[in-house]
Amino acid sequence: MKLVIFGANGPTGRQATAQAIAEGHTVTAVTRHPGDFPLSDPRLRVAGADVLDPGAVESAVAGQDAVISAVGVPYGPKPVTVYSDGMRHITRAMTKQGVRRLVCVTSTVLFGVPAPDETFFFRAVLEPLIARTIGRTVYDDMRRMEGIVTDGDHDWTILRPAGLFDADQVSDYRIATSRLPGRFTSRADLGNALLRQATGDRHVRAFLDVRTTQGVPGFLDVIRKEALGGRK
């Protein structure tokens, strides 16, 4: 297939790009800093573009079979609009170019239900604290983005992973249409789930939790490395 990946230079985007190339797909990797992109392959085209530039987005979407968005920004106090504005440009470009399949990433927090089989402190104190304080502006814009996606008529799937961490290989991760137990999702697993959904049609117009069950790190280690940096 021909796939375009927005946010391709982030850790999750790189995973999705590398795995797609390895499976023989043709990939257009969209990044604001093409000179920094670490991957190269005859089946890869690196496009220097900003998701906030509608003309550049449409150019990247043209001729593709499916769109993957792994766009992400760090937590911070300032209002965030890149998820919603970027997705508005992506969906408009898809409509103009006749591209149907869309897969993107938000967060397990947006299920709006407590994590199953979790401690009371995590469910009632820690997760709500993160969602309503340091992560509030990001999650607010993710909700706006989901609204743009679900209001459209594309064949969409939204992945809602848990806390992200780095791993070398794809594991036997779990996927479901409701919130799963567990606190973490590896970027290798998330990249694979993005690719599986973009190249298939099993979960069209569905929200999917993606959860890693093997080799997960300690909670405090992830908070120190990931939450405060907000890497996607």
Side-chain angles (χ1 to χ4, degrees):
M1 293 181 63
K2 295 180 180 179
L3 306 174
V4 57
I5 301 178
F6 292 92
N9 208 16
T12 298
R14 291 179 186 179
Q15 283 283 351
T17 301
Q19 292 181 38
I21 292 170
E23 292 186 10
H25 301 291
T26 300
V27 179
T28 297
V30 181
T31 171
R32 291 181 300 162
H33 305 289
D36 296 335
F37 198 69
L39 305 176
S40 62
D41 191 272
R43 292 183 295 274
L44 173 66
R45 178 173 74 93
V46 181
D50 192 324
V51 74
L52 299 180
D53 180 342
V57 170
E58 184 171 353
S59 177
V61 168
Q64 305 293 337
D65 296 317
V67 175
I68 294 174
S69 176
V71 171
V73 296
Y75 292 151
K78 295 182 179 179
V80 174
T81 63
V82 68
Y83 293 99
S84 55
D85 288 345
M87 187 53 65
R88 190 173 291 109
H89 297 156
I90 289 171
T91 53
R92 287 175 179 171
M94 291 177 66
T95 298
K96 291 181 180 179
Q97 295 297 325
V99 181
R100 297 291 308 165
R101 192 69 173 113
L102 169 64
V103 185
C104 58
V105 180
T106 58
S107 168
T108 191
V109 169
L110 272 64
F111 277 109
V113 298
D117 302 329
E118 258 296 352
T119 64
F120 174 82
F121 178 75
F122 184 88
R123 288 187 291 106
V125 179
L126 188 57
E127 187 175 76
L129 179 66
I130 294 173
R132 296 168 187 168
T133 56
I134 63 172
R136 180 181 59 82
T137 57
V138 166
Y139 295 130
D140 285 349
D141 200 40
M142 284 182 173
R143 290 185 182 91
R144 290 189 288 269
M145 185 189 83
E146 287 195 350
I148 292 167
V149 173
T150 58
D151 286 346
D153 63 353
H154 300 99
D155 297 331
W156 56 266
T157 303
I158 297 176
L159 302 186
R160 290 172 165 175
L164 296 174
F165 71 97
D166 292 325
D168 293 333
Q169 296 181 339
V170 177
S171 73
D172 187 19
Y173 59 90
R174 294 185 63 191
I175 194 165
T177 55
S178 59
R179 188 164 184 179
L180 290 165
R183 297 177 178 176
F184 304 113
T185 307
S186 82
R187 292 186 175 91
D189 291 344
L190 179 56
N192 188 261
L194 286 165
L195 183 57
R196 298 280 70 74
Q197 297 306 312
T199 58
D201 58 3
R202 287 191 57 203
H203 299 100
V204 173
R205 294 182 168 265
F207 301 96
L208 297 179
D209 199 346
V210 183
R211 204 58 54 104
T212 298
T213 61
Q214 304 166 338
V216 296
F219 180 72
L220 292 179
D221 291 337
V222 172
I223 290 296
R224 281 193 294 265
K225 183 177 180 181
E226 307 289 346
L228 300 180
R231 299 196 305 159
K232 179 65 66 176

